[in-house]
Amino acid sequence: MNKRSAHVLSQLVFNMDRDVLSCACAAGVATAFGAPVGGILFAYEEASTYFPNHVLWRAFFCATVAALVLRWSNPFFDGSLVMFRVKENVQWYWFELLPIAVVGILGGFIGYLWIKLNLQWMKIKMRNSWFRRSPIIETICLVFLTVSANWVFPFLRQTNSSLLSTLFAGCSSEDMTTSSSWSDLLCHNSRKPELITILTYGVIQKFLLSALTFGSRVPAGLFIPSLTVGSMFGTLVGMGVHTVASSYPEFFLFRDCTSATFCAAGSVYAIVGAASVLAGVTQVSVSLAVIMLELTDRLNLLLPLMITILLAKMVTNFFGTPSIYDSYVHMKRYPYLEPGAIIENELADASRVMSKKVICIPATGTTIHQLEELYKTTKTFGFPIVEDLETKQLVGYLARIELKVALQTAKRHTGVDANTPCA
């Protein structure tokens, strides 16, 4: 490869890497959770610092193709993209907004504790060279610890995805009279003490195991473990609300319930609990609400999801803890300047790094040819737009990537040549 080809390739990679990262993130979430719209929003909210319209279009295209491939492969063997299907009769009542808000607050606090524990564990690993020298032994220890902890109760021997499917599905009238799969444990009041014990133990052990595992050389992920912890925690809260509503059916708050069986459905609290813990850990909001809707295919849960995610994010913001992603950026000391960062350095002066010869673009009169030559002969990341070259009164700013896109768009229009002025 000659020098010119290497230069062209490096420029292409430099200009496209951010776009490719955003598109890959959207396609990955769309594939992993069957949530193409949520994947696009997640790429915009969490994975991108620069998201113009052309990147939105490319991310939309990639997420669409990913969803089509997923639909064609039919991974759930039911012809749909819904990963965790909920019973059709699941609904919520207005009095449940208070316990749902409590779930959001507690879920945000659990996410805050999870971040603190994981970061402390990672700092111990960074100070101890044994973990760097023995990743295989560490992985074996994590596997043994996970299997041993989950083997205590048969209900917890399921995979996290199976646990989520079970808790999200909830109970129906048929489940109350049958003992198939786990319906006997989840839907019969006689086994409620046993279920409380299992879920309490499951919340604690999966909280600790996920905090110890995340950051190790194991592709364990973050979304599904956090959702699992939150779903079990939410189910516990839902069981408490259901017990109170069943004990006092004539109380004015509980009169809207059609029956004590489906009042305060556990699956509703499992879903909002899962969303609250994941929101506390990742501190994403809009994209998470859409992802949860696409995961469960239950649009009627939009308002409870919005409330829990909002409160969970408010709790973590109250403690001043950044998301797990931002925390890792700070801990690893990656070169990233977050928005709103205040840097105090009395020894450094901005004039030392500023260019004395500023390349400006007049607001009017510049031709397509002049802009093309400017793009080819300079390497700056952007150009100030001024009223004219004499006064140099600033009226705007044009990023280099935006100039490239504008020139490519102009060439596709008929009647536009090299001498066409740009207004």
Side-chain angles (χ1 to χ4, degrees):
M1 179 183 294
N2 56 37
K3 291 184 179 181
R4 179 170 180 79
S5 299
H7 174 72
V8 172
L9 181 60
S10 63
Q11 289 296 314
L12 178 63
V13 172
F14 179 79
N15 291 330
M16 294 295 294
D17 58 351
R18 292 185 301 183
D19 298 358
V20 172
L21 178 62
S22 300
C23 297
C25 179
V29 174
T31 305
F33 302 103
V37 179
I40 298 170
L41 293 175
F42 183 82
Y44 168 76
E45 186 175 1
E46 190 65 26
S48 305
T49 57
Y50 181 73
F51 207 83
N53 288 335
H54 70 274
V55 178
L56 175 63
W57 160 246
R58 292 169 182 172
F60 183 82
F61 175 80
C62 291
T64 303
V65 174
L68 287 174
V69 174
L70 186 66
R71 174 66 176 80
W72 173 78
S73 61
N74 194 19
F76 307 122
F77 304 102
D78 58 359
S80 71
L81 297 180
V82 180
M83 192 172 185
F84 304 115
R85 190 167 295 280
V86 184
K87 300 292 184 183
E88 296 297 331
N89 53 17
V90 168
Q91 56 182 323
W92 60 277
Y93 301 91
W94 286 104
F95 76 88
E96 295 183 79
L97 289 180
L98 180 59
I100 285 174
V102 173
V103 170
I105 294 173
L106 295 179
F109 186 68
I110 291 174
Y112 161 75
L113 294 178
W114 191 95
I115 293 174
K116 287 295 185 182
L117 177 61
N118 179 260
L119 292 180
Q120 290 298 324
W121 174 243
M122 287 301 299
K123 290 178 181 178
I124 293 175
K125 292 173 61 176
M126 293 172 64
R127 290 194 296 263
N128 195 326
S129 60
W130 180 86
F131 291 96
R132 292 191 298 271
R133 297 193 310 265
S134 310
I136 297 179
I137 299 179
E138 179 192 2
T139 302
I140 294 175
C141 293
L142 288 174
V143 171
F144 178 78
L145 185 62
T146 302
V147 172
S148 301
N150 288 331
W151 205 257
V152 177
F153 296 104
F155 182 74
L156 299 178
R157 297 174 192 174
Q158 307 177 76
T159 63
N160 286 338
S161 297
S162 299
L163 280 172
L164 287 173
S165 298
T166 303
L167 296 175
F168 283 5
C171 297
S172 64
S173 56
E174 296 179 357
D175 295 328
M176 302 298 296
T177 57
T178 61
S179 58
S180 60
S181 64
W182 300 109
S183 61
D184 183 55
L185 176 63
L186 294 175
C187 305
H188 289 73
N189 292 330
S190 60
R191 300 191 64 181
K192 184 175 291 186
E194 180 185 357
L195 180 59
I196 293 176
T197 302
I198 294 174
L199 292 179
T200 303
Y201 171 81
V203 169
I204 296 174
Q205 68 99 344
K206 288 190 178 295
F207 174 88
L208 295 175
L209 285 175
S210 60
L212 295 178
T213 304
F214 185 75
S216 63
R217 302 184 188 183
V218 178
L222 175 65
F223 272 55
I224 296 298
S226 299
L227 291 174
T228 305
V229 173
S231 65
M232 290 191 291
F233 153 71
T235 302
L236 285 171
V237 177
M239 291 173 62
V241 178
H242 176 75
T243 301
V244 175
S246 302
S247 302
Y248 305 96
E250 299 300 325
F251 190 62
F252 73 98
L253 289 178
F254 307 139
R255 291 175 183 173
D256 292 337
C257 297
T258 56
S259 68
T261 301
F262 300 116
C263 191
S267 59
V268 174
Y269 291 86
I271 293 171
V272 297
S276 66
V277 173
L278 185 56
V281 173
T282 62
Q283 297 188 17
V284 295
S285 53
V286 179
S287 60
L288 178 56
V290 176
I291 289 173
M292 293 301 298
L293 289 179
E294 293 182 285
L295 273 177
T296 58
D297 194 26
R298 300 307 299 169
L299 188 60
N300 65 321
L301 298 181
L302 176 60
L303 183 58
L305 284 171
M306 293 175 64
I307 293 174
T308 51
I309 292 172
L310 176 65
L311 291 175
K313 187 173 174 60
M314 290 175 62
V315 169
T316 52
N317 290 340
F318 172 79
F319 287 105
T321 302
S323 69
I324 187 63
Y325 304 122
D326 293 337
S327 299
Y328 267 66
V329 169
H330 297 159
M331 184 177 61
K332 299 289 186 177
R333 297 182 179 180
Y334 293 140
Y336 172 68
L337 183 62
E338 59 184 344
I342 300 177
I343 301 177
E344 297 180 359
N345 192 341
E346 299 179 356
L347 301 178
D349 193 353
S351 61
R352 298 183 181 181
V353 295
M354 293 174 62
S355 175
K356 296 182 179 179
K357 183 181 178 181
V358 182
I359 302 174
C360 304
I361 299 177
T364 58
T366 307
T367 64
I368 297 291
H369 175 72
Q370 291 173 334
L371 291 177
E372 289 178 338
E373 290 297 321
L374 186 64
Y375 181 84
K376 294 177 182 179
T377 57
T378 60
K379 296 182 180 180
T380 55
F381 291 98
F383 307 93
I385 301 176
V386 296
E387 189 70 31
D388 54 68
L389 294 179
E390 294 182 0
T391 61
K392 291 189 176 181
Q393 182 178 353
L394 183 67
V395 296
Y397 179 82
L398 180 64
R400 184 180 185 87
I401 183 68
E402 293 178 343
L403 175 59
K404 179 182 178 181
V405 173
L407 291 174
Q408 292 174 346
T409 304
K411 290 179 179 179
R412 291 194 293 265
H413 288 280
T414 59
V416 177
D417 54 25
N419 296 322
T420 302
C422 301

